Amino acid sequence: VAISVDDITKAVDWYTKTFRCKVTYQDATWAMLTFSNIHLALVLPNQHPPHLGFTHENAEIFGQLKTHRDGTRSTYIPDCSGNAVEILDAASV
């Protein structure tokens, strides 16, 4: 899951203090937090769309995969309501 926040550092601080999750990646435009049951991306509105992400064994059937700075490979597709859905190559996660 990726949610939009106004300030990455402030949001990371709040989530880690409130839920004691682990920061697995952080830079000025996004962060990845790991909880016991979910990964949460914190994104800036002008950098990344808020979205849901799913792993798939054959993610490339949904479109051309792009390699991201964290090493994952994925493509984005819209759902029937226009929400962004990220399909991640299961082998890259």
Side-chain angles (χ1 to χ4, degrees):
V1 175
I3 61 170
S4 182
V5 299
D6 295 326
D7 182 308
I8 298 295
T9 302
K10 184 177 175 181
V12 165
D13 185 54
W14 187 87
Y15 276 94
T16 55
K17 285 181 179 175
T18 303
F19 299 107
R20 295 193 175 119
C21 54
K22 180 181 175 187
V23 179
T24 55
Y25 183 88
Q26 181 178 352
D27 67 22
T29 66
W30 74 282
M32 181 64 72
L33 307 177
T34 300
F35 295 75
S36 62
N37 60 348
I38 194 169
H39 296 285
L40 176 64
L42 306 173
V43 300
L44 295 178
N46 60 344
Q47 293 288 320
H48 305 279
H51 62 275
L52 295 172
F54 301 99
T55 59
H56 195 282
E57 296 285 327
N58 299 307
E60 65 278 353
I61 66 172
F62 294 95
Q64 184 175 356
L65 301 181
K66 177 183 175 188
T67 301
H68 302 283
R69 60 186 141 188
D70 64 355
T72 60
R73 294 173 29 85
S74 71
T75 189
Y76 288 85
I77 60 171
D79 73 5
C80 61
S81 297
N83 298 299
V85 178
E86 182 180 21
I87 310 297
L88 295 120
D89 176 33
S92 72
V93 178

